[in-house]
Amino acid sequence: MGNYSIETNCVQGGYKPKNGEPRILPIYQSTTYKYDSSEHLGDLFDLKVPGHMYSRISNPTLECVENKIAQLEGGVGATLTTSGQAANLLAILNITSCGQNFVSLSSIYGGTINLFAVTLKRMGIEVRFATPEMTDEEVDALFDENTRLMFGETIANPALKVLDIERYAKLAHRHGVPLLVDNTFATPILCRPIEFGADIVIHSTTKYMDGHAAVVGGVIVDSGKFDWTKGKFPEMTEPDESYHGISYTESFKNAAYITKVRVQLIRDFGVAPSAINAFLLNLGLETLHVRMERHCENALKVAKFLESSDKITWVNYPMLESSAERKLAEKYMPGGCCGVISFGIKGGRSAAVKFMDSLKLAAIVVHVADARTSVLHPASTTHRQLTDEQLVDAGISADLIRMSVGIENADDIISDIKQALNEVE
Ligand SMILES: *Cc1c(COP(=O)(O)O)cnc(C)c1O
């Protein structure tokens, strides 16, 4: 589907039925696959021939969805995981071991901060946080010879900082390491980080890609552009004992990284999603382009309304004229900045709670980025485990309300906000 536009690939990419085959992607509900000879199966185990052998490693339904997502992001391959957390974990473990470190932007998702600062630390992997305000020299100083990668989010959840992808790609490449970008909020419809120099792209597919709050999932996409053979990544170039000594870069060339994620880490950690979950994700992907357009349109209307209300102290939406992120947003996401907005209410924490409890259409949920409008108070929920200092670094104030604007009628969403604001003293 190489010559079609991204909208067409959302609908029809990844699966191409042959004569007489099912029109829509079948659910291959099978743990295992049959072969005519033990020799063929042996070759599969040695990765000498392509094919499926066991659904913890690969499955035909998953493969079609992986190919679609790789196509949407402009990568050479993708691997689905059971969650966004698993995707970020494996994306890092694939090239980072005990005693090594990596640099990450500090304004990222709370769950990712936990993973990086607590769990990976216990495994002997150190994260070094860079704030968006740091100069290039200050970020440079965080790297040393044991630094393996740099990490950031295209649109940070929930601070809504826009990542200057080109800038951080340059910084990472200057130190001989790849830039990993979590593109969950933007989706490839709004931004394709690989086009700006990102090497690996990660998603929590739980959010817009699924889009209906039905299935938790994640995906890792490999751009195929990073050169692993310069001596810094022996795990990519040296023999893997668990596969009769193959070298990933020799055997799989520019798909070395993503092949290793699958055949080594998905195999060993066992975080392969089920076929039916991949099927459901694919249904979401089929309408991703249409939904993102409406999310962006509605969010801008809601953000402008909030900005005009005297009960609101501040509004953060990168597409607003008033936003400090506007320039970066226009460069990286000219089509819009997803459906997520953050804002503060006069009266602080207690007013925020009263406002949220008074909403009728918008629901209080932990989730974001699905078809239904929802709200959340991160400081008391998703980010409550962070220290005050970490909250500030993540760009979150105590009064911050995060609203994920859905694809309902925009006037209905705004009316609901109006009536809830009237309930606040
Ligand atoms: C939700 C989210 C994650 C974690 O994904 P799960 O699917 O919940 O495990 C990672 N990164 C970002 C930006 C997210 O919004």
Side-chain angles (χ1 to χ4, degrees):
M1 307 280 299
N3 295 326
Y4 291 104
S5 60
I6 194 163
E7 292 84 359
T8 305
N9 287 331
C10 277
V11 184
Q12 295 212 23
Y15 173 63
K16 218 175 173 164
K18 297 191 194 79
N19 189 37
E21 288 184 348
R23 179 65 194 98
I24 79 160
L25 175 64
I27 301 168
Y28 287 96
Q29 192 66 46
S30 180
T31 60
T32 191
Y33 306 85
K34 177 199 166 280
Y35 291 99
D36 288 342
S37 74
S38 8
E39 191 191 345
H40 189 109
L41 191 55
D43 286 348
L44 274 171
F45 267 99
D46 281 348
L47 304 178
K48 282 187 191 151
V49 293
H52 306 286
M53 55 180 168
Y54 189 52
S55 287
R56 171 151 48 73
I57 301 168
S58 69
N59 167 286
T61 306
L62 270 67
E63 188 180 19
C64 291
V65 183
E66 288 164 342
N67 288 343
K68 175 183 279 190
I69 296 174
Q71 212 169 43
L72 298 181
E73 285 289 6
V76 293
T79 302
L80 292 174
T81 61
T82 44
S83 66
Q85 288 293 105
N88 276 328
L89 172 67
L90 297 198
I92 286 167
L93 288 186
N94 202 35
I95 48 171
T96 315
S97 305
C98 181
Q100 299 180 324
N101 66 72
F102 65 98
V103 177
S104 171
L105 268 298
S106 59
S107 53
I108 52 172
Y109 174 63
T112 310
I113 293 180
N114 283 339
L115 169 65
F116 289 179
V118 181
T119 301
L120 286 182
K121 187 175 168 196
R122 286 184 55 212
M123 299 167 75
I125 294 171
E126 180 202 350
V127 60
R128 299 173 175 182
F129 286 116
T131 61
E133 292 74 30
M134 278 185 179
T135 63
D136 284 2
E137 291 68 34
E138 286 169 324
V139 180
D140 267 332
L142 297 172
F143 288 79
D144 63 24
E145 71 280 5
N146 287 320
T147 305
R148 310 295 290 176
L149 61 98
M150 177 146 202
F151 180 95
E153 291 177 6
T154 315
I155 310 175
N157 173 6
L160 305 181
K161 294 256 184 220
V162 178
L163 188 70
D164 191 345
I165 301 171
E166 280 182 352
R167 176 186 170 205
Y168 293 109
K170 249 182 232 152
L171 276 162
H173 295 160
R174 185 145 96 198
H175 294 276
V177 301
L179 176 68
L180 276 58
V181 173
D182 181 332
N183 198 33
T184 298
F185 270 21
T187 80
I189 302 302
L190 303 179
C191 178
R192 287 157 46 103
I194 291 170
E195 289 171 1
F196 297 103
D199 301 287
I200 307 297
V201 175
I202 303 127
H203 287 270
S204 164
T205 60
T206 319
K207 314 294 164 55
Y208 287 117
M209 280 193 168
D210 169 286
H212 301 80
V215 174
V216 174
V219 70
I220 305 170
V221 184
D222 184 353
S223 70
K225 290 185 174 158
F226 192 81
D227 184 359
W228 306 100
T229 63
K230 300 234 173 96
K232 206 171 175 147
F233 296 92
E235 66 273 44
M236 302 291 285
T237 52
E238 299 300 309
D240 179 347
E241 294 316 317
S242 69
Y243 282 110
H244 284 181
I246 62 149
S247 148
Y248 290 100
T249 46
E250 271 174 32
S251 295
F252 303 103
K253 310 291 185 239
N254 69 344
Y257 175 94
I258 201 68
T259 305
K260 181 171 174 294
V261 168
R262 174 189 309 285
V263 301
Q264 192 184 63
L265 299 186
I266 301 270
R267 176 197 66 183
D268 291 355
F269 288 88
V271 290
S274 64
I276 184 149
N277 280 357
F279 172 86
L280 290 168
L281 169 58
N282 189 51
L283 288 186
L285 291 170
E286 288 181 2
T287 58
L288 182 64
H289 54 303
V290 183
R291 289 185 288 106
M292 289 317 288
E293 203 177 301
R294 182 61 70 86
H295 278 295
C296 293
E297 190 186 310
N298 282 358
L300 190 57
K301 283 184 187 162
V302 170
K304 283 183 174 162
F305 164 75
L306 289 169
E307 218 172 24
S308 73
S309 165
D310 55 10
K311 298 202 168 172
I312 302 293
T313 44
W314 57 271
V315 185
N316 182 7
Y317 185 63
M319 288 321 252
L320 287 175
E321 303 278 350
S322 60
S323 172
E325 303 297 302
R326 167 103 186 200
K327 252 183 95 178
L328 284 175
E330 276 177 343
K331 171 171 178 178
Y332 290 106
M333 282 159 273
C337 263
C338 85
V340 184
I341 297 174
S342 60
F343 57 94
I345 281 193
K346 265 186 199 155
R349 187 181 284 255
S350 62
V353 169
K354 177 75 186 156
F355 166 73
M356 289 183 25
D357 289 350
S358 304
L359 288 165
K360 290 178 178 146
L361 184 64
I364 301 173
V365 298
V366 170
H367 195 247
V368 285
D370 70 77
R372 286 157 289 262
T373 298
S374 58
V375 283
L376 182 75
H377 184 231
S380 63
T381 54
T382 47
H383 287 63
R384 64 184 296 138
Q385 69 286 351
L386 300 194
T387 64
D388 285 357
E389 199 187 0
Q390 279 177 321
L391 274 181
V392 172
D393 283 347
I396 298 159
S397 54
D399 65 341
L400 184 151
I401 293 175
R402 180 181 72 184
M403 176 168 273
S404 173
V405 180
I407 57 174
E408 303 95 338
N409 179 291
D411 294 336
D412 287 344
I413 301 169
I414 290 170
S415 300
D416 187 37
I417 296 171
K418 267 188 200 158
Q419 67 79 24
L421 284 174
N422 285 336
E423 297 296 316
V424 178
E425 291 310 308

